[in-house]
Amino acid sequence: MVPIIDLQSEYRLLKSEIDTALGRVLEAGAFVGGTEVSALERELSDYLGVPHVIGVGSGTDALFIALRALGIGPGDEVITTPFTFIATLEAIQIAGAKPVLVDIDPATFNLDPKLLEAAITERTKAILPVHLYGQVAPMGEIGAIAERHGLKVLEDAAQAIGARYCANGSQSPMAGALGHAAGFSLYPTKNLGAYGDAGFITTADPTVAEEARLLASHGQKARYHHVRPAGYTSRLDTLQAAILRVKLPHLESWNQRRRQIARMYDQGLKGVVQTPTQAPYALHIYHQYTIRTPERDRLQAFLKERGVGSSIHYPLPAHLQPAYRELAPEGSLPHAEQAAREVLSLPMHPFLSDLQAEQVIEAVRAYSK
Ligand SMILES: *Cc1c(COP(=O)(O)O)cnc(C)c1O
């Protein structure tokens, strides 16, 4: 049996530290905000190299609060990818704006920058690239286009904590430091996961940071003084912060291990299925290791019979979802549509053993014989 993910092994490894951290919060009796949350925000800011980190309740909250903090709202258009988790589009709609879909580059599954300019109208206010599967979008090209047209760039970095954009060898800024703001998810299965829902916003802009903090906390500047309408109650939970502070120091080595497993998969599966492409500018952290094959559904059934887990991210692009049909007609975003028919994510987590990785490779090869 090779499960697609294994959260128990991680807890077992860190059990005494996590239990102690939880006990500390429970003993202190302070369950909202407090030093655990502010310390985690500081530690994330140091790790990611972004001046401001604002903890919120989830990755979805992070995205729509960041959009609002960037000044995006009703009447505005935001360009994004159809090949993502639906929260990316929901965030745009919750902020009151309209998602405009642009097709992906089939090699990386990320937004194709060559298609961006044709989608820009006088209503366009922002571009929302997703760093899908843990690989940064082509942020150099996206940033240049945004600058030319006076647009904001919000990164959906939910799958990319620790991923880097390798700009010119010496400098390799991390996801979260590549646009005007970014939204991260700390959902349990992400590379850094809470034991429940959590997320955060990053930005280098102090005004955006302050606005995001206001909005996330009932639009209040000081207690019971509300300076923005329609604020939210979106918090990074204190117990989750305590857990995340135990886990954060391990993230680099966990991402390293994911990359090691990816190299094993690459070698074992090259020529058997289409293995993921690492773009020259990207340090991929393999939130997912996603292969492509026209025989995806049959391969998945075969793997299941052999006890090898796998999963499809995502079986439908956004514009073919019943709720989003009006965004674009079928056939108009062909690369996203084809990817949705062909992608399959293999087991990938830092506690996967070499032996398990070999079993996955063996199973995929056995199907292809
Ligand atoms: C997980 C995810 C989100 C949403 O995060 P939640 O914490 O579940 O709200 C948004 N975008 C992408 C690409 C994701 O993978």
Side-chain angles (χ1 to χ4, degrees), residues 241-260:
I243 293 165
L244 290 160
R245 290 186 68 204
V246 173
K247 294 176 62 169
L248 178 58
H250 298 273
L251 178 61
E252 273 293 303
S253 70
W254 288 341
N255 280 346
Q256 196 63 37
R257 175 62 186 156
R258 285 173 185 264
R259 289 170 56 76
Q260 224 172 43

Side-chain angles (χ1 to χ4, degrees), residues 43-264:
E43 288 155 11
L44 285 167
S45 157
D46 289 345
Y47 172 65
L48 296 168
V50 197
H52 304 282
V53 171
I54 302 100
V56 293
S58 72
T60 310
D61 288 9
L63 291 171
F64 74 71
I65 291 169
L67 281 169
R68 272 192 71 185
L70 288 167
I72 284 130
D76 297 339
E77 292 178 357
V78 178
I79 297 174
T80 193
T81 164
F83 198 56
T84 179
F85 179 55
I86 207 67
T88 314
L89 279 86
E90 289 172 323
I92 297 168
Q93 293 181 310
I94 295 168
K98 178 175 183 272
V100 172
L101 301 177
V102 160
D103 209 357
I104 56 168
D105 174 347
T108 60
F109 304 107
N110 280 326
L111 265 185
D112 185 343
K114 290 192 297 300
L115 305 175
L116 281 175
E117 274 184 312
I120 295 173
T121 73
E122 70 276 13
R123 295 186 159 218
T124 309
K125 288 288 156 53
I127 305 173
L128 207 177
V130 178
H131 305 316
L132 201 73
Y133 304 149
Q135 168 158 256
V136 292
M139 296 304 286
E141 286 167 90
I142 290 172
I145 293 165
E147 204 173 313
R148 248 194 329 273
H149 295 269
L151 308 177
K152 302 290 186 192
V153 177
L154 173 64
E155 304 167 64
D156 182 338
Q159 303 186 359
I161 190 164
R164 288 176 185 273
Y165 183 83
C166 311
N168 50 23
S170 61
Q171 268 196 334
S172 299
M174 278 189 176
L178 306 173
H180 296 96
F184 285 83
S185 170
L186 299 163
Y187 185 78
T189 58
K190 302 286 156 95
N191 287 33
L192 179 66
Y195 290 167
D197 281 304
F200 64 94
I201 296 161
T202 59
T203 181
D205 183 334
T207 315
V208 174
E210 194 191 340
E211 191 63 24
R213 237 181 239 294
L214 279 178
L215 289 169
S217 179
H218 302 290
Q220 72 183 357
K221 191 136 201 169
R223 197 163 196 198
Y224 305 136
H225 287 267
H226 306 276
V227 296
R228 292 289 180 278
Y232 312 99
T233 172
S234 183
R235 300 172 179 122
L236 200 162
D237 184 82
T238 308
L239 284 167
Q240 299 301 341
I243 293 165
L244 290 160
R245 290 186 68 204
V246 173
K247 294 176 62 169
L248 178 58
H250 298 273
L251 178 61
E252 273 293 303
S253 70
W254 288 341
N255 280 346
Q256 196 63 37
R257 175 62 186 156
R258 285 173 185 264
R259 289 170 56 76
Q260 224 172 43
I261 296 162
R263 295 293 82 80
M264 287 182 67

Side-chain angles (χ1 to χ4, degrees), residues 338-359:
Q338 193 183 346
R341 290 190 294 267
E342 295 186 352
V343 291
L344 189 66
S345 302
L346 299 179
M348 174 55 83
H349 58 82
F351 298 89
L352 198 76
S353 66
D354 284 3
L355 181 66
Q356 286 177 310
E358 277 156 21
Q359 288 168 344

Side-chain angles (χ1 to χ4, degrees), residues 11 14-24 26 246:
Y11 175 60
L14 303 175
K15 178 174 167 40
S16 68
E17 277 176 273
I18 286 176
D19 291 358
T20 304
L22 290 175
R24 195 168 67 226
L26 297 176
V246 173

